[in-house]
Amino acid sequence: MLRKKVTIGMLALAAIAVSCKPKGAENVVSGDAASKVYVAPGKYDEIYNFVSGGFSGQLSVYGLPSGRLFRVIPVFSVDPEKGWGFSEETKPMLNTSHGFVPWDDLHHVEMSMTDGMADGKWVFVNANNTPRLGRVDLKTFRTAEIIELPNSAGNHSSPFGTENSEYIVAGTRFSVPADGDASDVSIETYKENFKGHISFVSVDKNSGEMDLAFQLKTPGVNFDLARCGKGASSGWFFFSCYNTEQANTLLEVNASKNDKDFIMAVNWKKAEELVKAGKGKKEAVKYAHNKFNEETHSATSEIKTSVTVLDVADHPGLVYFIPCPKSPHGCDVSPTGEYIVGSGKLAALLPVFSFEKIQKAIANKTFEKESYAGIPVIKYEAALYGEVEKPGLGPLHTEFDDKGFAYTSMFLSSEIVKWNIKELKVVDRQPTFYSTGHLMVVGGNTKKPYGKYLVAYNKITKDRYLPTGPELCQSAQLFDISGDKMELLLDFPTIGEPHYAQGIPASLIMDKQAKIYDINKNKHAHFTNGEANAKVVRKGNEVHVYLTTIRSHLAPDNIEGVQLGDVVYFHVTNLEQDWDLPHGFAVKGADNGELLVMPGETTTLKWVPDRIGIFPMYCTDFCSALHQEMTGYIRVSPKGSNVPIKYGLGDKFVTVN
């Protein structure tokens, strides 16, 4: 059993932490901090930092040490800047079993891995609300794939990958009844009918394509975070669990009654073997699998209807519980894979578990007398390597450097605490501003951390930035961790609400970037191969405009013959073959958004005019000195009029009877 409990006084500090400066806050920045973050004009940052956008549903990319924002990558939310979710090609990416869902809550980030190290191929992200996983291609910095997760709700404990990205793993935040007709049960029957599900999504090592390989059905707890084993603990996965009370109302009280929750240890190699041996059960479900094809520049969406499920209660030796301080958030594995850190949000200590001791306890069956829902519970002391005493208040998340140290974020006491992994002694602490949640050490979840920089992602910024009404920006704070003492270097605001992030050396991916789409390989169904082939075609009440863009005109730029009641599709091909020369496209009165078309790409805008008249269209992305002149006109006539289709550019016009 745990030896220390949180006090009411500790909980009261939650309110104080967000309104008072931490002790020593006046002198945390040294005189040479500015020089350490300065990146001269024309020079590159050392690190790409991929940061979750939280409720923005997007992924943002910053440079470190400068803190400069380079790009916002839309994943689960529509984005008018890039036409994501507005173009006909990208709309299928936001399809789900519930239909078109144009928003989600993106919490966590995971780089693809080879031998426990980031390989720079892909970055995976989660959708917390309508459970999904997304894969971003780091050659294009564009979302390449999204897969929905059935039997789940609140996909928070994801996306966490195995050492070679064999699987990206996702645990449900909210245990719910399994999908299907049997899910219509009373909420009050939680303990009987609600179950947790952990999804194992396989990743093709060459293409990155994902597939829902299998799920584990677990007792009805809530999963918060997770980490795969590595090195010594290779083949295992560890999840933090809360609400072991299996409460269904007023969780802030009813899910904090027990003096412990659990870390759940999963032998994923054994699970894989069981599935291959046919031990899983096929269950009827419904989920969407969406893919973006870089050759057709278009997405497809497929609804799938089954998943293989292993009930962990039916397979002894697959899953074990380890007692942990109540309401754990982080569950973090050291670079060697030997140590697993559990972070109870309400605890005043940090337990560090030993994988070697866990294995001995399993072999010797050193379990508590009572199992939990039929799952063995390893005795706390049998799994414990030791406890970090008085680390701070509200420990949430831990990452590691390359020198044998761990760093833990303290939400209540607003600080980062550095401690020695072997000796379990605190060696440094620095204040944050304020209420830090996740933190990120560059490579801090890998076998060989890059170290050097740590970023704290903070929830509260009172008095840190210019005020902007009732809501203030959230922020990141950059620390230099190369010396014995952490040194605060920089504050910078973030997109949305940052949760987790990961950083990788820029050298790993900067030279692999796609610069154009080869126009000779364009396989879009409505590709226009050159300005001479631009045209307008009527198909019933549909009008298809095959339009090209090049500095500094549209072709065609005058169109007549569209009638009220027509549906107009602008298939825009960017003829440029030069890096960083996208063209935009918009038309007055469109009720969706613009297009942003990359060099060599074809993208489609759907427009339903709602009145007769002359409608301007134009390029929305400044592309040349004559960008303002890159415009055109569309005439919309009354329904049934005898105005023929007519289109042209300059003195060349075509009339279609």
Side-chain angles (χ1 to χ4, degrees):
M1 300 297 290
L2 300 181
R3 297 176 301 202
K4 297 190 179 181
K5 297 183 180 180
V6 68
T7 67
I8 297 299
M10 292 175 187
L11 293 175
L13 285 170
I16 299 172
V18 300
S19 59
C20 295
K21 293 183 179 181
K23 183 178 179 181
E26 293 79 11
N27 299 303
V28 294
V29 181
S30 65
D32 65 345
S35 66
K36 290 185 176 182
V37 301
Y38 179 68
V39 178
K43 300 296 182 181
Y44 293 142
D45 276 280
E46 184 180 349
I47 303 294
Y48 281 104
N49 188 26
F50 296 88
V51 183
S52 71
F55 46 67
S56 77
Q58 299 169 332
L59 178 68
S60 52
V61 185
Y62 297 84
L64 297 179
S66 72
R68 297 179 295 191
L69 175 64
F70 294 146
R71 189 161 184 82
V72 176
I73 303 172
V75 185
F76 304 113
S77 294
V78 294
D79 180 4
E81 178 190 2
K82 301 173 185 68
W84 184 258
F86 291 106
S87 72
E88 294 304 294
E89 288 78 7
T90 59
K91 285 179 181 177
M93 293 297 287
L94 299 179
N95 189 40
T96 74
S97 62
H98 304 276
F100 182 76
V101 177
W103 169 85
D104 220 298
D105 190 10
L106 193 161
H107 275 217
H108 303 129
V109 180
E110 179 84 351
M111 308 302 300
S112 58
M113 307 278 263
T114 298
D115 192 25
M117 298 295 294
D119 57 25
K121 292 181 179 180
W122 310 292
V123 56
F124 299 92
V125 293
N126 73 322
N128 190 34
N129 184 57
T130 302
R132 288 172 278 181
L133 293 178
R135 175 174 62 88
V136 174
D137 189 330
L138 290 180
K139 287 184 179 179
T140 60
F141 276 52
R142 176 181 278 179
T143 302
E145 190 174 11
I146 294 175
I147 189 168
E148 188 180 3
L149 301 177
N151 293 325
S152 300
N155 174 33
H156 188 267
S157 184
S158 68
F160 301 104
T162 53
E163 289 174 278
N164 291 288
S165 293
E166 297 97 337
Y167 298 101
I168 298 297
V169 183
T172 185
R173 174 181 177 183
F174 308 113
S175 284
V176 292
D179 291 354
D181 295 337
S183 63
D184 182 21
V185 298
S186 170
I187 298 172
E188 294 177 354
T189 66
Y190 186 113
K191 292 183 178 181
E192 292 76 31
N193 292 313
F194 287 49
K195 297 293 182 180
H197 282 81
I198 295 174
S199 301
F200 280 74
V201 176
S202 63
V203 180
D204 185 276
K205 65 180 181 179
N206 296 314
S207 68
E209 187 169 315
M210 300 187 293
D211 183 62
L212 180 52
F214 61 92
Q215 291 184 320
L216 302 183
K217 183 187 293 185
T218 73
V221 298
N222 293 7
F223 296 105
D224 202 334
L225 293 175
R227 277 284 185 235
C228 73
K230 52 174 113 38
S233 53
S234 182
W236 286 73
F237 229 104
F238 304 93
F239 298 80
S240 58
C241 313
Y242 67 104
N243 193 22
T244 52
E245 297 84 352
Q246 298 191 36
N248 61 275
T249 183
L250 198 63
L251 262 62
E252 64 177 309
V253 174
N254 293 324
S256 296
K257 289 182 176 179
N258 294 343
D259 67 352
K260 66 179 182 298
D261 281 308
F262 295 126
I263 298 296
M264 187 174 79
V266 176
N267 185 337
W268 70 262
K269 283 287 189 180
K270 183 179 179 69
E272 185 181 55
E273 291 169 2
L274 289 167
V275 171
K276 288 180 179 178
K279 301 299 183 180
K281 178 183 177 183
K282 285 281 187 182
E283 293 188 1
V285 292
K286 186 179 179 182
Y287 66 97
H289 190 178
N290 312 327
K291 305 174 188 177
F292 194 88
N293 186 310
E294 293 293 353
E295 292 185 337
T296 64
H297 308 158
S298 302
T300 56
S301 179
E302 179 185 1
I303 295 295
K304 297 187 174 181
T305 56
S306 69
V307 63
T308 299
V309 178
L310 284 173
D311 190 329
V312 300
D314 296 337
H315 301 284
L318 182 57
V319 169
Y320 300 90
F321 285 123
I322 305 166
C324 181
K326 67 171 67 178
S327 301
H329 190 60
C331 177
D332 301 291
V333 179
S334 69
T336 64
E338 172 59 24
Y339 304 108
I340 301 99
V341 182
S343 299
K345 292 181 289 186
L346 305 180
L349 56 79
L350 274 173
V352 180
F353 301 103
S354 162
F355 182 74
E356 182 180 358
K357 294 186 72 173
I358 291 169
Q359 293 305 298
K360 287 182 179 178
I362 292 171
N364 296 328
K365 296 185 178 181
T366 312
F367 303 141
E368 299 284 357
K369 290 183 179 179
E370 293 186 8
S371 65
Y372 182 84
I375 306 300
V377 179
I378 297 172
K379 288 187 175 181
Y380 178 72
E381 295 289 350
L384 187 69
Y385 172 71
E387 295 172 338
V388 182
E389 300 284 353
K390 299 180 180 178
L393 298 178
L396 290 189
H397 176 219
T398 299
E399 293 223 331
F400 307 89
D401 69 10
D402 55 337
K403 300 180 179 67
F405 294 100
Y407 301 79
T408 301
S409 57
M410 300 291 169
F411 183 81
L412 298 186
S413 51
S414 289
E415 59 185 332
I416 301 294
V417 175
K418 176 181 178 180
W419 49 278
N420 185 291
I421 300 172
K422 291 289 183 68
E423 298 176 2
L424 304 181
K425 300 294 185 183
V426 173
V427 297
D428 189 26
R429 61 180 74 237
Q430 292 294 330
T432 58
F433 304 91
Y434 307 95
S435 298
T436 183
H438 280 278
L439 53 79
M440 183 278 299
V441 174
V442 181
N445 68 314
T446 68
K447 282 185 176 180
K448 297 178 181 178
Y450 184 81
K452 189 171 182 179
Y453 296 118
L454 177 151
V455 183
Y457 299 97
N458 305 328
K459 305 302 182 184
I460 305 296
T461 58
K462 291 179 181 179
D463 73 29
R464 298 299 288 180
Y465 299 102
L466 288 172
T468 53
E471 184 187 17
L472 303 177
C473 64
Q474 297 188 32
S475 76
Q477 291 191 294
L478 176 69
F479 290 82
D480 181 346
I481 59 170
S482 60
D484 292 337
K485 298 292 184 181
M486 294 177 281
E487 180 185 358
L488 177 61
L489 301 179
L490 181 70
D491 287 18
F492 57 95
T494 56
I495 297 295
E497 180 194 8
H499 290 263
Y500 186 44
Q502 286 195 352
I504 57 175
S507 58
L508 192 60
I509 60 174
M510 64 176 292
D511 294 330
K512 300 176 183 177
Q513 300 303 289
K515 296 185 176 180
I516 62 169
Y517 292 100
D518 186 344
I519 204 164
N520 297 309
K521 297 180 180 179
N522 187 324
K523 295 181 180 179
H524 192 285
H526 300 288
F527 166 53
T528 302
N529 189 12
E531 194 170 286
N533 295 312
K535 60 186 178 182
V536 180
V537 177
R538 175 178 286 283
K539 296 180 179 179
N541 73 327
E542 292 183 357
V543 176
H544 293 262
V545 179
Y546 295 82
L547 186 145
T548 64
T549 63
I550 198 166
R551 289 163 288 177
S552 297
H553 61 267
L554 312 172
D557 65 3
N558 278 218
I559 301 170
E560 297 189 7
V562 175
Q563 298 181 13
L564 199 63
D566 284 342
V567 179
V568 183
Y569 293 92
F570 295 97
H571 308 293
V572 182
T573 298
N574 181 349
L575 299 178
E576 307 283 358
Q577 289 289 269
D578 196 2
W579 191 22
D580 195 27
L581 271 171
H583 287 294
F585 179 81
V587 60
K588 179 184 176 183
D591 62 357
N592 45 13
E594 63 148 6
L595 299 179
L596 192 61
V597 192
M598 297 300 112
E601 185 179 34
T602 300
T603 305
T604 301
L605 181 73
K606 179 182 177 182
W607 177 53
V608 183
D610 67 345
R611 65 196 69 181
I612 62 173
I614 303 296
F615 294 82
M617 57 183 181
Y618 69 104
C619 174
T620 57
D621 192 301
F622 203 100
C623 54
S624 72
L626 297 177
H627 167 74
Q628 289 293 93
E629 285 74 22
M630 195 169 175
T631 61
Y633 296 99
I634 308 162
R635 175 185 173 187
V636 178
S637 300
K639 185 176 180 63
S641 69
N642 59 3
V643 178
I645 291 289
K646 180 181 179 182
Y647 61 91
L649 174 69
D651 59 357
K652 297 179 181 179
F653 281 84
V654 175
T655 300
V656 181
N657 293 325

